[in-house]
Amino acid sequence: MSDIRIDKVVTSGTFSLDGGTWDVDNNVWIVGDDESCVVIDAAHDADAINKAIGERRLTQILCTHGHDDHIDAVSDLVALRPEAKVSIHDADRMLWDRVISDAPDGALSDGQTIDIGGAQLTVLHTPGHSPGACCFLLAGEGQLFSGDTLFQGGPGATGRSFSDFDTIIDSIRAKLLTLPPETVVHTGHGDDTSIGAEAPHLQEWIDRGE
């Protein structure tokens, strides 16, 4: 194990898509060591995120996907931390462009590795909740940041535009349930879970549908 620390900030705001708006609480994850860190999903409250970062250098803002509740604090956080580079998967640019006028600094790709504090995050492209949805695996620490792809109790919602139930099931089966069962899953909303806790329920999710 390295000296990686994982901090969680819960922020509150709204999610809007397909003409509807819902109140939501989001998990913002700050991953790094005592010197530098990355933020996974800059949601709602840049000041709260910035406070949690503290004196560390923010190197990157990594977006699990482009829904507005996961990226609506990106611009404000970059204004506070101009050294930070922002990355999202290209397949979610149509969602990004609805919220943020500036282009992201980089594009995430499946298998890409991101160095943080002596450890590595690996990008897992897991489409379904959105076309460009990604998870981030901190393999050496047994930690997965799943965004809205996998929650305690099943896959993320697929009933809205740009989402597909069969695709998210395929992503979870191929990319996530193959991880060690003790892998801790840090979700985009709600409580943590583990691969071992969720894997036995795959057929139940399929039978249940979206």
Side-chain angles (χ1 to χ4, degrees):
M1 290 287 185
S2 66
D3 294 327
I4 288 294
R5 54 187 268 204
I6 297 170
D7 298 304
K8 174 184 176 181
V9 180
V10 179
T11 61
S12 299
T14 60
F15 163 57
S16 298
L17 190 66
D18 297 337
T21 297
W22 300 266
D23 292 328
V24 288
D25 293 332
N26 283 62
N27 297 331
V28 179
W29 300 99
I30 304 171
V31 186
D33 58 16
D34 291 337
E35 301 297 325
S36 63
C37 61
V38 302
V39 162
I40 298 174
D41 289 346
H44 308 309
D45 190 339
D47 288 334
I49 300 167
N50 187 55
K51 182 178 178 180
I53 293 168
E55 298 301 316
R56 291 178 287 175
R57 183 170 61 92
L58 177 61
T59 60
Q60 294 199 58
I61 301 169
L62 305 174
C63 306
T64 60
H65 61 295
H67 286 154
D68 61 354
D69 60 317
H70 289 256
I71 65 171
D72 58 0
V74 164
S75 296
D76 287 343
L77 187 56
V78 169
L80 294 168
R81 301 278 182 158
E83 73 277 12
K85 304 300 182 184
V86 186
S87 297
I88 190 169
H89 196 282
D90 274 343
D92 267 17
R93 277 298 302 274
M94 75 292 187
L95 292 166
W96 169 279
D97 291 342
R98 294 176 172 203
V99 181
I100 300 175
S101 57
D102 294 332
D105 298 297
L108 299 171
S109 59
D110 188 57
Q112 175 185 352
T113 57
I114 299 159
D115 292 325
I116 51 164
Q120 276 192 334
L121 279 173
T122 300
V123 179
L124 306 177
H125 181 213
T126 53
H129 182 67
S130 67
C134 290
C135 299
F136 301 98
L137 176 64
L138 197 58
E141 312 292 319
Q143 314 281 329
L144 177 77
F145 301 90
S146 64
D148 286 4
T149 294
L150 179 63
F151 292 104
Q152 185 182 82
T158 54
R160 301 189 179 101
S161 294
F162 313 114
S163 63
D164 183 79
F165 180 73
D166 290 340
T167 301
I168 201 171
I169 288 295
D170 288 345
S171 292
I172 291 171
R173 181 193 286 117
K175 295 286 185 65
L176 304 188
L177 299 188
T178 53
L179 297 172
E182 64 272 16
T183 303
V184 176
V185 180
H186 302 292
T187 61
H189 309 270
D191 296 331
D192 289 352
T193 183
S194 69
I195 294 299
E198 302 305 325
H201 303 288
L202 176 63
Q203 189 58 50
E204 296 171 27
W205 305 336
I206 295 170
D207 295 341
R208 184 177 69 198
E210 61 183 24

